[in-house]
Amino acid sequence: MTIRATLLSAGAGLWAGALCAGAPLGAQQINARGGSTVTLGARVQVQYEASSAQDSISSFSIRRAWVTIDGKLSDKVGGRVQFNANGASVFEAYLQLKPSDAFQVQIGQFKRAMSHFWLAANADLPLIERDGRVTGVSHCPGVGGVCSFGRLTGELGLDAYEPGILVTGRFGGGRMGYRFTLTNGEGRGKDVNTSKSASGRLSAFFGEKGRASAYVALDETLDYGGETMGAPAYGAELEIGSWRDGPHLLVNGLTGRNWKAGDDATFSAFQAMGLWYRPLDPESGIAAIEPMLRVSWASTDTPILPHADSPGADNVMGTVAGTVITPGFMVYFAGRNGISANLDLYRSDDLDENEWSLKIQAFTFF
């Protein structure tokens, strides 16, 4: 039996058990062997996208069809498995140990994510594509696509799913927090050398809903000569508010090495995102609305090859930059279920070109 068939069979079996139990699936717990409990959840997101880029095709797609299984053996021991039922790929699979609020450990595969922007569940985020992608645009050196904060952090692996060890916790009466990961540095694939990638974040919490964070990463990558090198990245984040609870502001800044564009290529990125979750009368059939606006700018070096008339000359660096502006609107019908519409407007600063992408997505969570 293939891995895909095994995962789908397991998911189907658990789903059937949950339905037979008679309770709503969104809150369903299943008794498991050893006295543990299992909570089953699923999300399906259907998306329509149309782009202004030449030769692009508007289309419907299944953006996500994920199954999440959370297990709890005790108050201090648990775990999670999350996989894509549409492609049999595993995103998260880990054992979690929680001796105290100040010290918690995950061993397995998890989202590395330095920035809270990437850690936020897509169940809470009305932003449809975090990287601001525009189909048909491949403008940003090394990482392709558009030049944006999310594109660079995602494609350079700074916010990817990876196997390894994660340590996190809160201390100082809950006023301080930390998150540290040590991973392969190769995404979900196997490592190619004995070096490891490290990332860490330190946060200070203020007021009722405020947080300021600083983060750093040192990625082990292969340079163009095949040698292992460290690719650093440094960033900061400010968050005021919380998800699906009134006004919310999230601001990120990041700089580092764009190792996909060249051994010496550097990048800088900035993003500000504002949301406003407004509950409505449940009897109206609409639980809440949430307008949002995202502005993201990124700039990166790119090698420029020597002119044909001087083939012996050294390569020099040029600069490529772009800006994504995303107005959007989310309508919630019940809980986290609803429909979101985003318009990603992209301008390539160096080429003085503009493209856009309209995305509409239906969010369904069980």
Side-chain angles (χ1 to χ4, degrees), residues 312-337:
D314 294 333
N315 290 0
V316 296
M317 288 291 181
T319 301
V320 173
T323 303
V324 176
I325 299 176
T326 308
F329 196 83
M330 176 83 177
V331 178
Y332 295 88
F333 298 113
R336 295 172 294 175
N337 299 279

Side-chain angles (χ1 to χ4, degrees), residues 205-257:
F205 298 86
F206 57 90
E208 293 185 359
K209 300 178 181 179
R211 177 182 57 84
S213 303
Y215 41 84
V216 60
L218 185 63
D219 268 6
E220 54 90 11
T221 60
L222 297 179
D223 62 19
Y224 281 74
E227 299 294 328
T228 299
M229 70 173 187
Y234 313 92
E237 186 173 65
L238 173 67
E239 183 175 26
I240 300 174
S242 58
W243 304 105
R244 296 191 297 125
D245 185 16
H248 189 183
L249 176 67
L250 188 62
V251 181
N252 300 89
L254 184 69
T255 185
R257 183 177 295 165

Side-chain angles (χ1 to χ4, degrees), residues 230-320:
Y234 313 92
E237 186 173 65
L238 173 67
E239 183 175 26
I240 300 174
S242 58
W243 304 105
R244 296 191 297 125
D245 185 16
H248 189 183
L249 176 67
L250 188 62
V251 181
N252 300 89
L254 184 69
T255 185
R257 183 177 295 165
N258 184 354
W259 53 270
K260 286 193 173 183
D263 293 348
D264 299 320
T266 61
F267 74 91
S268 297
F270 171 83
Q271 178 170 275
M273 182 176 65
L275 314 96
W276 195 305
Y277 183 90
R278 300 192 63 184
L280 300 178
D281 184 357
E283 294 185 0
S284 68
I286 298 178
I289 58 173
E290 189 172 25
M292 59 144 291
L293 179 66
R294 183 260 304 271
V295 178
S296 183
W297 172 89
S299 173
T300 180
D301 295 335
T302 181
I304 299 176
L305 297 177
H307 193 274
D309 295 337
S310 55
D314 294 333
N315 290 0
V316 296
M317 288 291 181
T319 301
V320 173

Side-chain angles (χ1 to χ4, degrees), residues 142-158:
V143 299
V146 303
C147 272
S148 68
F149 175 87
R151 183 67 181 181
L152 284 159
T153 57
E155 289 299 311
L156 294 179
L158 298 172

